[in-house]
Amino acid sequence: MPGREPASGWWARLLEDLDAAGRRDPAARSRLELLLCYPGLHAVWAHRLAHRLWQRRGGRLLARLVSQANRWVPGVEIHPGAVIGRRLFIDHAMGVVIGETAEIGDDVMLYHGVTLGGRSMHRVKRHPTIGDGVTIGAGATILGPVTVGECAQIGANAVVVKDVPARAVVVG
């Protein structure tokens, strides 16, 4: 929200995530329901733990284990090396895959079945960069080191292999 100080600390971030999800899902009835019943939120929180471990010396194996647990329980695979901004909401969550070098901005919304995948076998930037405020529809696949500009919308089941300008709508 404009003019509001960013949340700090894990509790404030948790509340910020709950409120962002509540604004984006008209079916949400309460913070408690969001906290207990929304696997997309659980996946983001598990990723934050895994990412923090990934950045620590000697923490990469434990980070991968947390990431694997995240894959088993809510059905979301987020590599611990991926960089995710604030207030990411993954609606329905199942089947989302986010690769190691992916970068996701603030206030992004992903629907189920989204893949942010790579196209190279080399140790380079090989996954997408998603700008702030982007919405990516169910089943969409974005491959390679492409950039999706801020506030762009990617339609359901679209396959994106080229950069997308800010505020564009991409389908097909």
Side-chain angles (χ1 to χ4, degrees):
M1 288 183 164
R4 190 169 137 184
E5 285 296 312
S8 61
W10 70 269
W11 180 250
R13 290 289 297 269
L14 181 131
L15 292 175
E16 181 179 67
D17 288 338
L18 291 171
D19 291 342
R23 283 191 303 275
R24 292 188 180 121
D25 188 349
R29 290 171 182 79
S30 68
R31 278 183 175 169
L32 182 61
E33 180 183 21
L34 289 162
L35 178 72
L36 297 175
C37 302
Y38 276 65
L41 288 170
H42 303 153
V44 169
W45 296 332
H47 169 72
R48 287 195 185 132
L49 172 61
H51 186 69
R52 180 166 273 173
L53 292 167
W54 185 260
Q55 294 175 316
R56 287 188 176 169
R57 181 180 172 99
R60 292 200 166 181
L61 177 59
L62 185 54
R64 291 301 301 262
L65 291 171
V66 170
S67 177
Q68 284 301 299
N70 200 22
R71 182 179 183 188
W72 295 331
V73 177
V76 174
E77 183 173 349
I78 305 173
H79 191 284
V83 176
I84 294 178
R86 298 169 71 148
R87 298 174 299 276
L88 169 64
F89 181 53
I90 306 174
D91 197 13
H92 300 290
M94 187 61 73
V96 170
V97 177
I98 300 172
E100 178 182 13
T101 62
E103 299 173 54
I104 300 174
D106 296 337
D107 302 305
V108 171
M109 178 143 175
L110 306 179
Y111 286 89
H112 61 279
V114 167
T115 298
L116 303 181
R119 290 178 40 195
S120 172
M121 298 301 290
H122 302 288
R123 292 186 179 269
V124 296
K125 170 76 168 138
R126 59 189 187 281
H127 298 93
T129 299
I130 309 300
D132 295 342
V134 171
T135 299
I136 303 176
T141 301
I142 304 173
L143 297 173
V146 300
T147 298
V148 176
E150 69 177 30
C151 299
Q153 296 179 40
I154 309 298
N157 295 314
V159 177
V160 177
V161 294
K162 295 181 180 177
D163 289 349
V164 175
R167 296 178 178 18
V169 176
V170 177
V171 298

